[in-house]
């Protein structure tokens, strides 16, 4: 089981522009990998990160040899996903250190749920980040929207 969390602290009276800085965390049985580990160097634009990670799911699912490298805008934090024949998806650091294995379905559902929680907490106002998220949501596979 894998969990994807987006954390965008925003003061309630302020409108959410979608460019807010925050953190992304991946957790699984026995481990975690988070942009928090880098402190302020790990801060990234969370709403744009959610759109990017959402877009990566259909890319992975559509191509049998696909891999995906997430690099957070204005951040030093990233992760890589690669499909393997035996273990589903392999999550690793960009340098290749194995973090965990997960199924495609578990990863897709975790990304969807994490994004859903982010948008339930605060949805950005009109603009580029909201458009990017709406586009990513539209191409996300229906089978994983739960």
């Amino acid at each position: 089981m894998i969990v994807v969390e987006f954390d965008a602290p925003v003061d309630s009276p302020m409108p959410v522009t979608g460019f807010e800085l925050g953190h992304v965390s991946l957790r699984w049985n026995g481990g975690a990998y988070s942009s928090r580990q880098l402190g302020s160097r790990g801060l990234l634009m969370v709403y744009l990160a959610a759109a990017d990670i959402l877009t990566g799911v259909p890319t992975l699912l559509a191509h049998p040899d696909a891999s995906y490298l997430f690099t957070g805008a204005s951040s030093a934090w990233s992760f890589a996903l690669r499909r393997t024949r035996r273990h589903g998806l392999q999550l690793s650091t960009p340098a290749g250190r194995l973090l965990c294995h997960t199924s495609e379905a578990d990863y897709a559902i975790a990304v969807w749920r994490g994004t859903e929680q982010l948008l339930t907490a605060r949805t950005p106002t009109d603009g580029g980040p909201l458009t990017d998220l709406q586009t990513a949501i539209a191409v996300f596979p229906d089978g994983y929207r739960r």
Side-chain angles (χ1 to χ4, degrees):
M1 178 77 167
I2 188 164
V3 175
V4 177
E5 295 174 330
F6 299 97
D7 177 28
V10 179
D11 294 331
S12 291
M14 299 301 294
V16 178
T17 65
F19 294 104
E20 284 74 20
L21 295 177
H23 292 283
V24 175
S25 298
L26 307 168
R27 292 184 296 111
W28 57 91
N29 296 340
Y33 185 63
S34 175
S35 62
R36 289 184 182 287
Q37 294 165 317
L38 296 178
S40 62
R41 286 186 354 177
L43 285 169
L44 44 87
M45 290 182 260
V46 177
Y47 290 92
L48 294 174
D52 189 355
I53 293 171
L54 269 175
T55 303
V57 170
T59 300
L60 275 170
L61 300 177
H63 306 286
D65 296 329
S67 61
Y68 171 76
L69 174 65
F70 170 78
T71 304
S74 62
S75 173
W77 188 78
S78 58
F79 66 88
L81 282 168
R82 183 175 62 86
R83 182 178 288 115
T84 66
R85 290 188 181 182
R86 288 180 153 178
H87 303 290
L89 295 178
Q90 174 180 303
L91 175 68
S92 63
T93 65
R97 182 173 62 93
L98 176 65
L99 298 169
C100 74
H101 288 101
T102 187
S103 72
E104 292 175 4
D106 283 350
Y107 177 73
I109 291 167
V111 169
W112 181 258
R113 287 182 180 162
T115 304
E116 189 175 52
Q117 288 174 350
L118 174 67
L119 293 175
T120 298
R122 299 286 303 273
T123 301
T125 58
D126 290 337
L130 181 58
T131 301
D132 289 352
L133 272 168
Q134 290 169 333
T135 301
I137 288 167
V139 299
F140 194 86
D142 286 335
Y144 296 116
R145 296 178 194 206
R146 299 181 192 171

